[in-house]
Amino acid sequence: MEHFLGIDIGGTNVKCGLVSSEGELLEKTKYATTELQKENSTMESLVKVIGWELEKHSNVKKVGIGIPGTLSKDRNSTIDLPNIPDLAHTNVMGTLKAAYPDIIFHMENDANAAALGEFYFSKATMPDDFIFITLGTGVGGACIMDRKIFKGGNGNGLEIGHIIAGNGKTIENNIGKKGILGMALTTLEGYKGKSVLSDMGSLNAKKVIKAAQEEDKLAMEIFHEVGKYLGEAIVSAVRLFDIHTIIIGGGVSKTFHLVEKSMYKKIYDFLSPYYTDDLRIRLASLRNEAGIIGAASLCFIED
Amino acid sequence: MEHFLGIDIGGTNVKCGLVSSEGELLEKTKYATTELQKENSTMESLVKVIGWELEKHSNVKKVGIGIPGTLSKDRNSTIDLPNIPDLAHTNVMGTLKAAYPDIIFHMENDANAAALGEFYFSKATMPDDFIFITLGTGVGGACIMDRKIFKGGNGNGLEIGHIIAGNGKTIENNIGKKGILGMALTTLEGYKGKSVLSDMGSLNAKKVIKAAQEEDKLAMEIFHEVGKYLGEAIVSAVRLFDIHTIIIGGGVSKTFHLVEKSMYKKIYDFLSPYYTDDLRIRLASLRNEAGIIGAASLCFIED
C-alpha cells in the first residue's frame, strides 16, 4: 500500500507524518524549528530530516510540504516567511529534487494545504468549491475552486485577514489574537459588571477564549463582536468568489458557537437569497493534524 | 475575412455591432429595449433581431452576447436581470442554437465581456491577469485570470460593488451614482464656501461629475472621498486575488484624475511592497463601444 509523507513546516515545529491514502495519520515525528535553524540553514536541515524520514519509510515515493508564507506561482521557490526568514527566497523544489531524484515533491502554502486536506479527507461531504478561513494568531484564508487550490494571479491569493472590515481596519487587526486581546482590554476598562477577566492578571487571547467558553458575559460579548467582523469578511469573499460553502478552522474557531449569531446577522444584512439559500458555514473537520494531513494531501492532486 | 457579431444587451438599448478580427467596430445598429419588449417576449424579439443581423452579414459565423445580469455557470441560461426581468431564467443558448443551428453563440455577463474586450483589444499591452472595475450607476467588477474570464464558484463572482467598505456600507452604496449624489447633498448642507452645485437646482450625479471636471472645490472634494472607497475596494480585491493590474472603466471613470491621490493613499496604507511594487491602475482603453466589442470578443476565447 502506498504511503505519503506530509511535512508541516511551522515557526515553532516542523512536523513530519506518514499518511495513508485514506488520509489516516500513521506515524508522526516533530522537530523544533529552532533546532533545525542551528545548522547551516533551515533548508540544509530540511534535506537531512526528509532523508531520515525517507529512510524509515522506504515505501514513500511522494512528499507534500506545507510552508507558512508566500510562494512563487510555479511552487518551486519560497518568497516571504515571516517566522522562518532564512527559508525565504529559497529554491526548495530544486534543492529537494537534486537531493532525492526518485521522489516526487509538492509544496504549497500551509493554509492552502490545510484546505486541500479538508477537501480530500473531511468527514463531511465536500463541494467542489469552498472558502477556508483559519482563525488563529493571524486570520488566514484559502480557496478550493473547481476541486483545485485557487492560487490567484501571482500565486498568493486569499489573504482574507488583510481585507478591510466595516470599521476601516483589516479583519486580522480586529479578530486576530492581538485584536481579540485589544477588544477585551478596551471593553474591560469601562465595564461595570463582573468578569473573571478582571481577576486574571495579565490577559492574553487564550484566557479570553477560555473565559468565553466558561460563559463569562464580557468574554462572550467579545466574541459577539468577533462574529460581526467574521461575517463582514465572509460577505466580501462570497461576493467576489460566488462560493457558498465556508469552512472555519484554526484555534480560535473553538468559539464558533459564540460568534455564529452576529456573524449570520451581518451576512443576512448584506447577502441576497442567491447566496444565502444554499450558504453553508461550518467548522473544519480535521483538527490538530490538519497541517500534516493537508501537506500529505498535496500528493493527491489530480492532473 | 471573418467578421463577428457583438450584441450588447442593456436596459435601455440592445446594440448590435459587426466587429473585425482586429476588434474594429465596422457597423452598428441600435434597438430600444422597450420596443423589443413589446413583442411576446424579449427572447423572441432577440431571435428576430439576430436573424436580421445574420441576414445582413452572411460572413458571420460567431455571435457573442453580453447580458446585464447573472448567468448559469455553464453560460446557457440567464438567472437574474434586474433591468430586463422577462429575460431572466431563460435558456438563451438553447433557443438561439435551435433557431440558428449553423452559428456558434457565446454568452457572458456584460462586465466580464467588457473585461475580455479590453484583454484582446486594448491599445495598451495587457497582462494575463487583471481586475476590471466599472464605475457607473452601479459599481461592477470582472477579472481576467490566466487569460480567461474568472467565473467564481457558481458562475457570478467579482461583485466588487457589494463588498464592504471601511465605513460599514457597501462600495456601491458609497460610490455608485446614488452614493455620489448622497455625498454631494450631505456635504452641500453644511458647506460654508461657494459651489456651483448650490445654484444647480435639483442635483444628480452627472452634474456633480461635471462640476468636479470644471474644478468646483466642493465637487472635487466629493471625488477625493470617492477615491478612498475605490482604494479600499482595490485593497480587498488585490489581497484576495493577488492581482496587481487594475483597469477602471465606466462613465464615472472620467473623474479618475480626481480620485487617484486619495485612492493611492489608501492603497499604500494597506498593501505591502509585494503588491505595490508592480501595481498598475489605469483607465480602460475601450470607451463607448466597450459593450459591443466586449461581446464580440467572446468569439475569440481560446479553448
Side-chain angles (χ1 to χ4, degrees):
Chain A
M1 197 170 146
E2 205 183 355
H3 289 159
F4 306 90
L5 205 56
I7 301 181
D8 177 26
I9 300 180
T12 311
N13 290 305
V14 171
K15 297 177 193 168
C16 300
L18 188 71
V19 176
S20 78
S21 50
E22 274 76 46
E24 202 186 343
L25 181 59
L26 306 170
E27 203 188 304
K28 192 175 117 177
T29 324
K30 205 163 83 175
Y31 305 86
T33 308
T34 47
E35 282 301 313
L36 301 184
Q37 284 170 321
K38 279 182 187 159
E39 305 272 328
N40 274 337
S41 72
T42 304
M43 187 66 238
E44 206 172 289
S45 304
L46 210 55
V47 171
K48 267 192 214 168
V49 163
I50 290 173
W52 299 335
E53 294 289 330
L54 289 172
E55 229 167 274
K56 267 196 287 180
H57 311 294
S58 59
N59 59 339
V60 166
K61 298 284 169 249
K62 290 179 179 173
V63 178
I65 302 170
I67 298 275
T70 47
L71 302 176
S72 63
K73 193 171 186 184
D74 64 13
R75 277 22 185 175
N76 283 324
S77 304
T78 58
I79 301 175
D80 286 320
L81 279 89
N83 297 320
I84 317 171
D86 89 299
L87 195 61
H89 301 286
T90 302
N91 183 349
V92 174
M93 285 294 105
T95 309
L96 290 176
K97 280 175 195 166
Y100 308 107
D102 299 338
I103 303 295
I104 295 170
F105 291 96
H106 296 275
M107 178 167 76
E108 252 306 338
N109 163 274
D110 53 2
N112 288 345
L116 195 72
E118 200 67 33
F119 178 67
Y120 283 119
F121 301 122
S122 171
K123 280 150 208 142
T125 310
M126 297 300 292
D128 288 354
D129 311 288
F130 64 90
I131 288 167
F132 185 73
I133 303 177
T134 55
L135 303 175
T137 306
V139 174
C143 171
I144 300 295
M145 186 174 285
D146 298 330
R147 310 174 61 84
K148 287 190 284 288
I149 289 169
F150 173 86
K151 291 183 184 174
N154 287 282
N156 299 287
L158 256 298
E159 283 285 9
I160 200 166
H162 295 275
I163 72 172
I164 292 176
N167 67 348
K169 299 199 290 179
T170 65
I171 295 292
E172 182 167 300
N173 281 346
N174 283 300
I175 64 171
K177 280 192 180 167
K178 266 190 200 166
I180 290 173
L181 175 61
M183 252 195 272
L185 292 172
T186 311
T187 316
L188 202 54
E189 255 182 39
Y191 195 60
K192 301 261 193 296
K194 262 191 139 183
S195 167
V196 297
L197 296 181
S198 328
D199 312 322
M200 274 188 170
S202 132
L203 267 190
N204 59 36
K206 215 172 168 177
K207 289 181 186 175
V208 184
I209 292 170
K210 193 157 175 284
Q213 289 180 300
E214 289 164 1
E215 305 199 343
D216 178 78
K217 272 201 177 156
L218 183 144
M220 286 169 78
E221 181 54 38
I222 302 294
F223 288 96
H224 185 75
E225 286 299 305
V226 168
K228 295 183 193 172
Y229 297 112
L230 179 59
E232 290 179 340
I234 290 172
V235 165
S236 291
V238 166
R239 286 288 193 174
L240 290 175
F241 287 94
D242 195 12
I243 285 180
H244 306 185
T245 299
I246 316 289
I247 307 292
I248 314 277
V252 179
S253 71
K254 65 181 89 162
T255 64
F256 187 62
H257 61 292
L258 300 170
V259 313
E260 268 186 298
K261 195 178 159 192
S262 55
M263 177 193 79
Y264 275 114
K265 169 82 171 70
K266 190 65 84 174
I267 287 169
Y268 280 90
D269 281 352
F270 280 93
L271 293 182
S272 60
Y274 170 76
Y275 303 99
T276 55
D277 279 352
D278 61 347
L279 188 69
R280 280 169 186 227
I281 307 176
R282 58 174 180 72
L283 288 173
S285 82
L286 303 178
R287 304 313 224 109
N288 292 332
E289 310 309 351
I292 296 178
I293 293 173
S297 78
L298 297 168
C299 303
F300 288 73
I301 291 176
E302 305 156 17
D303 290 317
Chain B
M1 199 170 145
E2 202 181 359
H3 289 160
F4 307 90
L5 205 55
I7 300 181
D8 176 27
I9 299 181
T12 312
N13 290 304
V14 172
K15 298 178 192 166
C16 301
L18 188 71
V19 176
S20 76
S21 50
E22 274 77 46
E24 204 184 341
L25 181 60
L26 305 169
E27 203 187 305
K28 191 175 118 177
T29 324
K30 206 163 83 174
Y31 304 86
T33 307
T34 46
E35 282 300 315
L36 301 184
Q37 284 168 321
K38 279 182 189 159
E39 305 272 329
N40 275 336
S41 71
T42 305
M43 186 66 237
E44 207 173 287
S45 304
L46 211 55
V47 170
K48 267 193 215 165
V49 163
I50 290 173
W52 299 334
E53 294 289 330
L54 289 173
E55 229 167 272
K56 267 196 288 179
H57 310 293
S58 58
N59 59 338
V60 166
K61 299 284 168 250
K62 290 180 180 172
V63 178
I65 302 170
I67 299 274
T70 46
L71 302 176
S72 63
K73 193 170 186 183
D74 64 13
R75 276 23 183 175
N76 282 325
S77 304
T78 58
I79 301 174
D80 287 320
L81 278 89
N83 297 320
I84 315 170
D86 90 298
L87 195 59
H89 301 285
T90 303
N91 183 349
V92 175
M93 285 295 103
T95 310
L96 290 177
K97 281 176 194 166
Y100 309 106
D102 298 337
I103 303 294
I104 295 170
F105 292 96
H106 296 274
M107 179 167 75
E108 252 306 338
N109 164 274
D110 54 1
N112 289 344
L116 195 71
E118 200 67 32
F119 178 67
Y120 283 119
F121 302 122
S122 170
K123 280 151 207 142
T125 310
M126 297 301 291
D128 288 354
D129 311 288
F130 63 91
I131 290 167
F132 185 72
I133 302 176
T134 54
L135 303 175
T137 305
V139 175
C143 171
I144 300 294
M145 187 174 286
D146 297 329
R147 311 175 61 84
K148 286 191 285 288
I149 289 169
F150 173 86
K151 291 183 185 174
N154 288 282
N156 299 288
L158 256 298
E159 283 286 8
I160 200 165
H162 295 275
I163 72 171
I164 292 177
N167 66 348
K169 298 198 292 179
T170 65
I171 295 294
E172 182 166 300
N173 280 346
N174 282 300
I175 64 170
K177 278 191 182 168
K178 267 191 200 165
I180 290 173
L181 176 59
M183 251 195 273
L185 292 171
T186 311
T187 315
L188 203 53
E189 253 183 40
Y191 194 61
K192 302 260 194 295
K194 264 191 138 182
S195 167
V196 296
L197 296 181
S198 331
D199 312 322
M200 275 188 170
S202 134
L203 268 191
N204 59 33
K206 214 171 168 180
K207 289 180 184 173
V208 183
I209 292 169
K210 192 156 174 287
Q213 288 181 300
E214 288 163 2
E215 306 201 340
D216 179 78
K217 273 201 177 159
L218 184 143
M220 287 168 77
E221 180 54 37
I222 303 294
F223 288 96
H224 184 75
E225 285 300 306
V226 168
K228 293 182 192 173
Y229 297 113
L230 179 60
E232 290 179 340
I234 291 172
V235 165
S236 291
V238 166
R239 286 288 193 175
L240 290 176
F241 288 93
D242 195 12
I243 285 178
H244 306 184
T245 299
I246 316 290
I247 307 292
I248 314 277
V252 180
S253 71
K254 64 182 92 163
T255 64
F256 188 62
H257 61 292
L258 300 170
V259 313
E260 269 186 295
K261 195 179 159 190
S262 55
M263 176 194 80
Y264 276 115
K265 168 81 171 71
K266 190 64 84 173
I267 287 169
Y268 279 91
D269 281 353
F270 279 93
L271 293 182
S272 59
Y274 170 76
Y275 303 99
T276 55
D277 278 353
D278 61 347
L279 189 69
R280 279 169 186 227
I281 307 176
R282 59 173 180 73
L283 287 173
S285 82
L286 304 178
R287 304 313 224 110
N288 293 332
E289 310 309 351
I292 298 178
I293 293 174
S297 77
L298 297 168
C299 304
F300 288 73
I301 290 176
E302 305 156 17
D303 290 317

